[in-house]
Amino acid sequence: MTEKRSMLAAVYHGPQDLRVERIPVPQIGPDELLLQVKSASICGTDLRIFHGGHRMFPAGTVRVPGHEVVGVISSLGSEVDGLAIGQTVFIAPNMGCGHCQQCISGNNNRCASYQALGVTIDGGFAEYMRVPAAAIKGGNVMPIKSETVDPAVAALIEPFACVLRGQDVLNIRPGETVLVIGAGPIGIMHAKLAQLRGAGKVLVSETNPERAAQALTLGADRVINPALEDLSAVITEESGGMGVDVIIVAAPAHAAQEAALQYAAIGGRINFFGGLPKDRSSINFDSNLVHYKELLVTATTACSTSDCRRSAQIISTGKVDLSSLISRRFPLTAALPAFAAAEDRKSLKVVLEP
Ligand SMILES: [Zn+2]
Ligand SMILES: [Zn+2]
């Protein structure tokens, strides 16, 4: 393939200022590769970036976002082995330093000096993306069978890896009752994974009627709209008065985090999966509920490259089908309408296909 000198990209210039423009095709070093992007999905993190609310995008940052990326290797540095031009690959976005305690224990998302494609360096909302040596050496480049897996679905390896990490700490046992609060794409993935883990019943709480309806066809056993129904009463009914064993709060809502402590069964486990707004991150935490019910209250953030490996395995073998989460596809030239669609709460996953 002859390399173009310039390429189309959606570039962040400041809050609400995302511009589709031509920028130079990235140059690669001998230990790097150039990816021709096939599919890059828009996630909540990208919306936070777009609105200027991401801590890695301080004033003055000009950068290409996009961290859920699948593409084809279009050129390869001379020192890279084990990969080939033309291969379809998913790129795990997080790169740790490789030698700190967190990195060597397989938690490179916790590394104090981490880099991430689409977050600290240019990502995949572009025709081409440079994949640095740290990502190649760190095992972030994961070949995908493009004949059997839609690249748009393969791009969901990253968010699904975050969901996997979130449920690892909850240890859902077959037969247990699970409540997922929030039926956005992440909430739906949590419901699907809880079913795969053998949950006896998966309840989903969602106030948006369209999302609530989708959740019922996408993995929930029962969907409750707390604006119309008494969620606490439904939980009592569905759990025989015991409360739910596992609660995942997949909505950035103070009230939902506080209520989770009430809804949990004795010995229940809770994951505060969604972060709260950075300027208002405190909640009323009833410590006695945690004490007397012996609750485990925890949280997870992002995902490691190791989580992405397992996620890639699950998605490429079809153990979990995420194709119904892809609501809309846009060309890169329509990045702005794509961001608007990602925000309208009607769509689940919105994908850019350069
Ligand atoms: Zn994401
Ligand atoms: Zn590290």
Side-chain angles (χ1 to χ4, degrees):
M1 175 180 297
T2 49
E3 257 175 50
K4 293 179 205 148
R5 280 175 32 251
S6 79
M7 66 173 186
L8 215 53
V11 186
Y12 174 89
H13 285 266
Q16 274 79 241
D17 186 8
L18 185 78
R19 301 180 203 165
V20 178
E21 57 192 9
R22 297 204 77 85
I23 61 171
V25 172
Q27 299 289 313
I28 60 162
D31 49 1
E32 300 181 327
L33 68 82
L34 190 68
L35 189 79
Q36 185 184 15
V37 178
K38 289 289 169 201
S39 193
S41 45
I42 299 174
C43 112
T45 301
D46 299 309
L47 298 176
R48 189 181 275 240
I49 290 168
F50 178 64
H51 292 296
H54 198 286
R55 64 195 168 101
M56 295 300 184
F57 283 68
T61 304
V62 175
R63 191 172 294 147
V64 180
H67 60 272
E68 301 176 359
V69 185
V70 168
V72 171
I73 297 176
S74 88
S75 51
L76 208 51
S78 57
E79 291 167 16
V80 180
D81 45 36
L83 296 166
I85 288 174
Q87 243 177 342
T88 300
V89 291
F90 163 79
I91 312 290
N94 296 318
M95 292 162 276
C97 70
H99 51 78
C100 74
Q101 183 59 33
Q102 297 304 332
C103 282
I104 60 172
S105 68
N107 297 289
N108 59 329
N109 58 316
R110 295 179 184 163
C111 178
S113 54
Y114 90 108
Q115 296 285 321
L117 288 155
V119 181
T120 64
I121 59 173
D122 282 348
F125 295 154
E127 287 181 276
Y128 293 91
M129 179 174 85
R130 178 181 70 93
V131 178
I136 299 170
K137 292 198 181 85
N140 297 47
V141 181
M142 304 178 195
I144 296 294
K145 287 199 181 73
S146 56
E147 321 82 68
T148 51
V149 187
D150 175 359
V153 173
L156 303 185
I157 288 171
E158 193 274 341
F160 192 71
C162 301
V163 166
L164 267 184
R165 185 177 187 85
Q167 291 200 14
D168 282 350
V169 296
L170 297 171
N171 186 27
I172 297 169
R173 291 185 285 263
E176 287 191 317
T177 301
V178 176
L179 170 66
V180 179
I181 302 179
I186 289 290
I188 300 286
M189 287 188 215
H190 271 298
K192 283 179 175 281
L193 182 60
Q195 297 287 14
L196 185 70
R197 299 187 72 121
K201 198 178 283 176
V202 178
L203 309 173
V204 173
S205 159
E206 171 61 53
T207 50
N208 179 290
E210 276 146 344
R211 287 200 158 171
Q214 281 171 332
L216 204 53
T217 60
L218 295 177
D221 293 307
R222 179 166 179 182
V223 180
I224 306 104
N225 183 342
L228 306 173
E229 275 180 285
D230 180 352
L231 178 55
S232 178
V234 173
I235 287 169
T236 302
E237 175 201 329
E238 291 286 349
S239 66
M242 307 288 278
V244 280
D245 301 303
V246 168
I247 302 176
I248 297 148
V249 186
H254 299 74
Q257 291 189 352
E258 290 164 6
L261 304 178
Q262 307 273 355
Y263 301 150
I266 292 170
R269 288 93 70 202
I270 298 168
N271 187 337
F272 290 166
F273 191 86
L276 295 177
K278 63 181 174 188
D279 52 351
R280 209 166 58 88
S281 57
S282 297
I283 60 166
N284 288 316
F285 190 92
D286 188 337
S287 169
N288 274 356
L289 287 174
V290 178
H291 177 77
Y292 288 111
K293 293 204 280 187
E294 295 193 347
L295 301 180
L296 173 76
V297 183
T298 186
T300 47
T301 184
C303 60
S304 68
T305 301
S306 159
D307 299 324
C308 286
R309 288 268 162 144
R310 288 190 302 138
S311 175
Q313 183 66 16
I314 293 170
I315 289 176
S316 51
T317 55
K319 290 276 187 336
V320 166
D321 177 16
L322 300 180
S323 56
S324 45
L325 269 82
I326 308 291
S327 305
R328 300 186 70 183
R329 299 165 191 252
F330 288 85
L332 193 55
T333 47
L336 282 168
F339 266 68
E343 210 148 27
D344 70 7
R345 289 176 55 83
K346 292 192 184 92
S347 311
L348 286 169
K349 273 307 218 181
V350 175
V351 172
L352 285 173
E353 298 182 321

